[in-house]
Amino acid sequence: MARDEVKPRVPRGWASAGPFDYDVAVGRLASILLVGLAACASSVPRTVPRVVDGHVEDGPLVAPYAYEWFIEGEMQAAKGRHGEAAMAFESATATPAGDVVLITRLAEEYEMSGAARRADRALSLARRYYPSSPRVALAEGRILRNRGEIEEALAAFSRASRLAPTWGAPAVATAETLVARGHPKRASAVLFEFLRMAPEEQSRGAREALVRLAHRTGDPETLARALRFEPGSTDASRAQKAGELALAAGRPALAVRMLEGALDTDRNVELWLRALVQSGDHERAARFLASPEAARFSPVEDRASSLVALDENARALELLAAAERSPRVQYARGRALLHRGEYIQAAATLAEVPLGSAPFEASRMALAECSLAQGRSGAAAEALSVTPHASLAVRRKLARIYIEEGELRAGLRLFDPKQPSERAALASVFEYAGHFDEAAAYYASVRVTTSSPPRLRARASAEQLASRGLYPSAIAVLEHWTSAAPDDLYSRVRLVELLERERRLDEAVARGRQTLAVIDEPRLRAHLAELLETAGDR
């Protein structure tokens, strides 16, 4: 069937009297349009204020019947049902209101539904009776763009801009076309030029298009400039959004520069410190955390924990020495001592955190780390045994201690495999114990949700695909995940195993050797070495 012969389905309730002849209907429509438009050309239609694209403008009075069909057409177009949208606009234009908005939308939907000749006829009618309307030029540009005639489309958009200099739609259409052609800088220049001269009430579409373009290209500086045109925008809010984009784009030094002049909110301070750390300027971050200025944004124990994360244990202890004694302060002090290697003093400090306080569970976990660092696994298990076992984190830690002592069954008894939330924990326990087939089976049985951690979603999805024999799909999932999280060594080893199963041996060996160089965990290292040996034998 030719492009112009595509006939949209007739909406329910239209063909109430016999079969529907689409060509006859189009012919009648053309007659109705010509009569209506001729009537409008020979007389002054009644004009009223109305809202179009969110703005009030004067235009011909549209009958309720036509308005209802116009809304129906826009709803169908938003769903991608352009044939049904065109038919709805036909009904809207059946009343002789002579509305350029209805006619140009009809032309556009004809084009989107594949009826190019009908689009041309409708557009020709619009040009004939509204030669100076910017909406006609805009519709013409969109139709030409859809046909791949880019230069002609840009010329039409330029003509629409000249006819209505303060209307944002032509500038947005021009920018979208330039972006599609791979010219984002030219697109942003067009939008900025429009925003500089447009009234605020006409600039919303262009502002939103510029913000979308900044996010798409990962350009924080363009985003910050675009946000200056936002009503009510503040320096702090602009810096926050631009800093977030810079961090997401992997440009922490730029994030530091954009945030450091707007440290007025807790969120901006948090982003600025993260940017400093990611850019390698640990010293500057540590100086700020230890300074009195930082006290305005976070409590002393949180700042001390951040210093410990930066390996600034001495500064953390110095900061905590002047703090009022509390369970949270004691826990922070114990963590700093633990990271400093002063295990006995750290254990004594952590033991002072009282049962029932907020940091009690975390303090028991840290106390167990102190005991393990001294080779006292029994003391570590005892420290965890007084903690309520409802916590998965505590049970995972205790299970690992049991595994190190050769008591896998005792570790497994800490979890209920009938509970969906605990199957993932069992999978990780089997993985740590070196039982990789059992781990894969448990991962395959996990039901993940949107709130599940990304690692769990990736592993569960991959194992579910692998369990059905869809190894290439499972490999694709793990390749995507491990490229984003290279520190997930268990997933990287599982990827090598699946590549070997698919006989992609060269790739398996290359990935396996890269992974082997960074694995310290003995059971996982032995498993990978065995896989590489098997791949080499093949």
Side-chain angles (χ1 to χ4, degrees):
M1 185 178 289
R3 174 181 171 87
D4 285 330
E5 298 303 317
V6 177
K7 298 180 180 180
R9 180 176 58 82
V10 180
R12 189 176 302 170
W14 279 43
S16 58
F20 184 86
D21 191 322
Y22 196 86
D23 292 324
V24 171
V26 171
R28 290 176 180 171
L29 169 66
S31 300
I32 292 170
L33 286 173
L34 286 170
V35 172
L37 289 169
C40 292
S42 61
S43 62
V44 179
R46 179 186 174 187
T47 60
V48 294
R50 61 189 188 167
V51 178
V52 180
D53 293 335
H55 307 295
V56 178
E57 62 179 44
D58 289 334
L61 177 65
V62 178
Y65 170 86
Y67 182 73
E68 289 175 4
W69 279 114
F70 179 80
I71 296 299
E72 174 68 17
E74 293 293 0
M75 291 175 64
Q76 295 296 337
K79 297 175 183 177
R81 300 172 181 172
H82 300 291
E84 287 86 343
M87 297 182 74
F89 287 128
E90 287 172 4
S91 286
T93 55
T95 57
D99 193 334
V100 67
V101 176
L102 296 179
I103 300 167
T104 53
R105 286 296 292 119
L106 174 62
E108 290 173 4
E109 290 306 315
Y110 271 149
E111 174 68 22
M112 295 305 295
S113 65
R117 290 180 185 175
R118 291 170 190 149
D120 289 340
R121 286 198 292 269
L123 191 60
S124 178
L125 286 172
R127 273 198 300 259
R128 177 180 175 184
Y129 290 101
Y130 302 98
S132 61
S133 171
R135 293 188 181 276
V136 176
L138 178 66
E140 181 181 359
R142 287 171 173 167
I143 290 171
L144 288 168
R145 181 177 63 188
N146 188 62
R147 296 174 184 178
E149 301 175 24
I150 302 302
E151 296 304 323
E152 293 82 355
L154 290 172
F157 294 144
S158 178
R159 187 165 63 254
S161 293
R162 289 195 301 271
L163 291 169
T166 62
W167 187 33
V172 172
T174 300
E176 291 171 346
T177 306
L178 290 170
V179 170
R181 297 286 289 178
H183 302 292
K185 292 190 179 299
R186 286 177 60 192
S188 62
V190 168
L191 292 170
F192 275 123
E193 182 180 0
F194 171 77
L195 288 170
R196 278 192 289 268
M197 50 82 65
E200 182 180 302
E201 62 273 11
Q202 295 282 351
S203 64
R204 178 179 175 181
R207 289 198 313 267
E208 292 176 349
L210 193 54
V211 169
R212 288 195 302 271
L213 177 59
H215 280 284
R216 177 176 175 176
T217 57
D219 189 346
E221 293 168 308
T222 295
L223 178 61
R225 290 176 61 199
L227 292 174
R228 290 195 184 99
F229 295 98
E230 289 279 357
S233 175
T234 64
D235 290 343
S237 65
R238 290 195 297 270
Q240 176 186 328
K241 292 176 182 178
E244 288 171 341
L245 180 58
L247 286 171
R251 303 173 67 184
L254 178 59
V256 170
R257 192 166 69 249
M258 304 191 85
L259 286 161
E260 61 189 355
L263 300 178
D264 304 323
T265 66
D266 293 355
R267 177 61 176 164
N268 282 10
V269 170
E270 177 192 346
L271 291 170
W272 180 67
L273 288 170
R274 190 194 310 171
L276 284 172
V277 172
Q278 290 184 14
S279 64
D281 197 350
H282 291 198
E283 174 61 26
R284 189 176 177 191
R287 282 202 312 270
F288 177 81
L289 288 167
S291 70
E293 183 184 359
R296 296 189 297 120
F297 301 102
S298 60
V300 62
E301 56 269 20
D302 290 346
R303 288 185 286 138
S305 296
S306 298
L307 285 167
V308 169
L310 294 174
D311 203 27
E312 293 285 345
N313 302 304
R315 277 178 168 158
L317 290 169
E318 183 180 346
L319 188 65
L320 291 166
E324 185 177 351
R325 188 185 182 90
S326 71
R328 285 173 57 85
V329 168
Q330 286 298 96
Y331 168 66
R333 184 179 287 117
R335 288 290 298 175
L337 291 167
L338 169 61
H339 278 260
R340 202 174 183 179
E342 300 179 18
Y343 301 120
I344 296 177
Q345 190 175 353
T349 303
L350 291 165
E352 295 177 1
V353 177
L355 177 66
S357 61
F360 177 73
E361 179 183 309
S363 70
R364 296 292 104 177
M365 298 275 284
L367 187 56
E369 289 182 35
C370 288
S371 299
L372 290 173
Q374 299 176 80
R376 301 169 59 205
S377 56
E382 183 180 354
L384 294 174
S385 64
V386 300
T387 307
H389 280 191
S391 168
L392 273 176
V394 170
R395 282 183 284 162
R396 282 196 184 98
K397 187 75 172 178
L398 193 54
R400 290 196 169 201
I401 293 173
Y402 286 144
I403 289 169
E404 293 299 333
E405 293 298 310
E407 297 291 340
L408 175 60
R409 290 183 179 275
L412 295 176
R413 282 196 293 269
L414 296 171
F415 306 94
D416 183 0
K418 296 180 181 179
Q419 298 296 324
S421 61
E422 302 202 5
R423 289 176 191 155
L426 276 166
S428 66
V429 169
F430 273 119
E431 209 166 36
Y432 184 76
H435 294 257
F436 299 102
D437 291 338
E438 290 86 346
Y442 268 102
Y443 276 124
S445 70
V446 173
R447 292 182 181 179
V448 296
T449 64
T450 54
S451 60
S452 301
R455 179 189 183 276
L456 179 57
R457 291 204 302 269
R459 282 304 303 272
S461 176
E463 297 303 347
Q464 287 162 8
L465 290 166
S467 67
R468 297 197 298 270
L470 302 174
Y471 297 117
S473 299
I475 288 170
V477 170
L478 288 179
E479 283 178 336
H480 178 75
W481 166 244
T482 54
S483 65
D487 56 332
D488 184 359
L489 300 178
Y490 286 99
S491 292
R492 288 174 64 176
V493 172
R494 179 58 172 159
L495 175 57
V496 171
E497 188 173 2
L498 292 176
L499 287 169
E500 183 180 326
R501 187 167 296 180
E502 279 291 283
R503 296 191 177 279
R504 292 163 58 176
L505 301 180
D506 291 342
E507 191 175 351
V509 169
R511 285 183 176 272
R513 287 174 177 168
Q514 290 176 356
T515 306
L516 190 65
V518 294
I519 292 179
D520 293 326
E521 205 283 307
R523 284 174 286 269
L524 184 61
R525 186 179 179 85
H527 179 58
L528 179 56
E530 184 179 347
L531 290 174
L532 289 174
E533 184 179 352
T534 303
D537 291 341
R538 292 185 182 181

